[in-house]
Amino acid sequence: MGCCDTKGLMPIEQALSKMQEAVTNVCQPINLPLADALGYALASDVLSPLNVPPFNNSAMDGYGVKREDLEGADKQNPLSLTLVGQSFAGAPYQGNVATGECIRIMTGAVMPSCVDSVVMQERITLNDDQVIFTQVPKLGDNVRLVAEDLQLGQCVLKKGHKLSARDIPLLASLGLAEVSVFRALKVAVLSSGDELKNVGETLLEGEIYDSNRYSIIALLSRLNVEILDFGIIRDDRTLIREALLRADEQADVVITSGGVSVGDADFIKEVLTEIGTIGFWKLAIKPGKPFAFGKLGSSVFFGLPGNPVSAMVTLYQLAVPTMATLAGFKIKPALRLKAKCTTFVKKSPGRTDFQRAIHTVDDNGQLIVQTTGSQGSGVFSSMSQSNCFMVLEEQRGDVLEGETVMIEPYNALMD
Ligand code: AMP
Ligand code: MG
């Protein structure tokens, strides 16, 4: 798992494809009740078990007619048809409709085969059993045709698709009580460092709160994974070894933050080398240079940089897409858009920058973007204030005010 370009830094695209090549889905299919399946990846294609709609039906409350009976009807020459029955949603009309006759029909009610069009109730006048029409409908007006939405046997959603709040009702409309999905990925999360304290505790001199574990847990809860929180492990060789072995045994994925820099004094790197096959990469991205990826005994390992911004950026840009594949999700490329940069942005060629930025729309409807200011990898407030990454290409230098840049609006994981 060595590197790469002239300066020995690995481009992000190469890191992503190395990881994609190294992993496959590790989650077995399970059946879940439809209402519990939100956010899971489909374990097989869903084929429609029926036509939708299952029968021709009315799109309006009105009157079911044969169009040819109303040929020539207009305001000067109204035509009347005799009302012979009614078709309600769930209570179809069972009789015949002869020439010169019509039926009352409600929205969603079965269209009997003896009528072909529906005239809205607002367009007629009623005189006892005589329905008076002042215009000719178009053939098939206000009729929803059988299977016009979905056909029996048609593939509705593909294997690997993440079930959204829009998909669940779709599957309900097909009558599916259960769906086959891949079980949730089990992810163990741990932080290491003698300087780290848990939230709620009092800081002594030189100590800081462990925020990376919260980044990881918050982001992953949106990815529908099962999180195993291993807490903070002190910089102690035996404790680190013991925690990593336990995490490997229980989880599909182990994520740590900190302790993976070159020349790092932390034991985590040493222990990882002993118990797994881990590549310690220097990435051509900013922030987030040191990153570790590989395999422990039975799990996949991600070692994020310790700096909180770097940890979140590498988690989002590198670990999440790889975990998505491990969990059986078919991943889609992130949406990137061109925007006008409204400020000068300092940038040296050689690394892809993920500047924390805010995108808005100006008075002319033009998409504009500015950075959140200080981009230090320890300045986590920049992450919280931002709503997108300004992605500055590896070879790009400074960005002048008014230049076009690519932005990547955050997806639902970041909200
Ligand atoms: P390291 O890679 O362990 O040398 O850490 C780099 C920087 O990130 C140091 O300033 C650490 O204190 C900080 N850091 C490491 N882990 C965490 C964490 N879990 N939460 C917040 N900051 C951290
Ligand atoms: Mg450390």
Side-chain angles (χ1 to χ4, degrees):
M1 293 191 191
C3 303
C4 351
D5 79 0
T6 46
K7 287 183 207 138
L9 298 182
M10 188 189 300
I12 183 166
E13 298 76 17
Q14 190 178 344
L16 277 166
S17 59
K18 269 175 175 287
M19 291 192 290
Q20 287 297 337
E21 279 161 26
V23 300
T24 49
N25 169 27
V26 294
C27 298
Q28 307 74 24
I30 51 167
N31 283 338
L32 283 185
L34 180 60
D36 297 338
L38 181 68
Y40 281 85
L42 279 173
S44 49
D45 291 356
V46 174
L47 307 183
S48 182
L50 39 83
N51 287 317
V52 181
F55 47 84
N56 291 343
N57 68 94
S58 177
M60 290 281 178
D61 290 344
Y63 291 83
V65 301
K66 283 192 285 288
R67 186 202 167 278
E68 61 176 29
D69 282 359
L70 295 177
E71 197 71 71
D74 60 24
K75 285 212 169 79
Q76 282 71 47
N77 180 30
L79 287 179
S80 70
L81 300 176
T82 305
L83 187 62
V84 294
Q86 58 194 27
S87 184
F88 278 19
Y93 175 68
Q94 303 292 358
N96 187 36
V97 182
T99 300
E101 294 177 346
C102 68
I103 56 162
R104 177 92 171 106
I105 190 163
M106 307 308 275
T107 306
V110 173
M111 274 295 281
S113 57
C114 41
V115 292
D116 56 37
S117 312
V118 172
V119 178
M120 283 168 74
Q121 60 189 19
E122 292 81 358
R123 300 267 159 84
I124 63 98
T125 43
L126 203 54
N127 186 1
D128 287 336
D129 67 346
Q130 292 304 297
V131 187
I132 300 154
F133 298 84
T134 53
Q135 60 193 149
V136 202
K138 286 207 276 305
L139 188 66
D141 241 8
N142 302 317
V143 178
R144 301 170 183 151
L145 293 175
V146 60
E148 76 176 20
D149 186 358
L150 299 171
Q151 282 180 3
L152 173 73
Q154 180 182 337
C155 180
V156 178
L157 295 171
K158 286 209 163 305
K159 177 179 172 181
H161 177 82
K162 181 177 184 178
L163 288 172
S164 72
R166 291 162 285 119
D167 301 321
I168 299 290
L170 175 70
L171 299 185
S173 76
L174 302 179
L176 299 171
E178 284 196 335
V179 267
S180 172
V181 294
F182 292 119
R183 70 153 173 85
L185 191 71
K186 284 187 222 150
V187 183
V189 181
L190 61 98
S191 296
S192 81
D194 278 343
E195 78 280 29
L196 302 178
K197 273 278 167 77
N198 273 312
V199 292
E201 293 176 348
T202 306
L203 294 182
L204 302 177
E205 197 188 343
E207 294 180 336
I208 56 165
Y209 289 115
D210 170 14
S211 61
N212 288 347
R213 208 158 31 95
Y214 286 83
S215 289
I216 301 166
I217 291 173
L219 216 138
L220 293 190
S221 5
R222 289 280 161 80
L223 199 66
N224 205 47
V225 303
E226 190 184 321
I227 294 163
L228 311 174
D229 186 353
F230 275 66
I232 300 169
I233 316 295
R234 303 190 58 76
D235 282 328
D236 174 296
R237 205 171 201 294
T238 316
L239 290 180
I240 290 174
R241 190 184 167 86
E242 191 265 337
L244 284 173
L245 287 174
R246 208 156 35 91
D248 174 44
E249 202 179 284
Q250 293 176 24
D252 305 305
V253 170
V254 178
I255 305 185
T256 64
S257 64
V260 292
S261 315
V262 179
D264 209 306
D266 304 32
F267 294 116
I268 196 158
K269 216 170 148 183
E270 258 176 68
V271 174
L272 281 169
T273 313
E274 280 169 28
I275 66 170
T277 318
I278 310 291
F280 295 90
W281 297 346
K282 285 191 278 174
L283 299 173
I285 67 168
K286 194 178 166 201
K289 200 160 72 163
F291 181 84
F293 169 76
K295 302 228 163 106
L296 301 181
S298 61
S299 64
V300 169
F301 176 82
F302 297 99
L304 311 181
N307 280 311
V309 178
S310 313
M312 197 163 205
V313 171
T314 50
L315 172 69
Y316 184 84
Q317 291 291 344
L318 292 156
V320 165
T322 312
M323 277 190 277
T325 300
L326 284 160
F329 291 104
K330 264 226 148 49
I331 52 169
K332 297 182 203 124
L335 175 72
R336 288 194 180 170
L337 304 167
K338 283 182 183 163
K340 192 167 94 180
C341 186
T342 58
T343 53
F344 171 82
V345 181
K346 182 128 200 68
K347 157 93 168 67
S348 329
R351 294 206 256 164
T352 304
D353 255 31
F354 291 89
Q355 301 246 343
R356 276 71 65 211
I358 302 165
H359 69 81
T360 46
V361 173
D362 71 10
D363 293 343
N364 301 318
Q366 159 82 48
L367 189 59
I368 55 172
V369 63
Q370 64 182 93
T371 70
T372 53
S374 170
Q375 297 287 314
S377 59
V379 183
F380 198 79
S381 54
S382 70
M383 199 82 234
S384 168
Q385 287 158 19
S386 60
N387 62 9
C388 66
F389 287 120
M390 186 191 288
V391 187
L392 302 176
E393 305 79 359
E394 209 172 301
Q395 292 319 318
R396 188 164 187 159
D398 291 341
V399 178
L400 304 180
E401 184 183 331
E403 280 187 7
T404 299
V405 292
M406 293 309 280
I407 64 162
E408 188 180 313
Y410 295 149
N411 67 25
L413 299 185
M414 287 284 225
D415 288 338

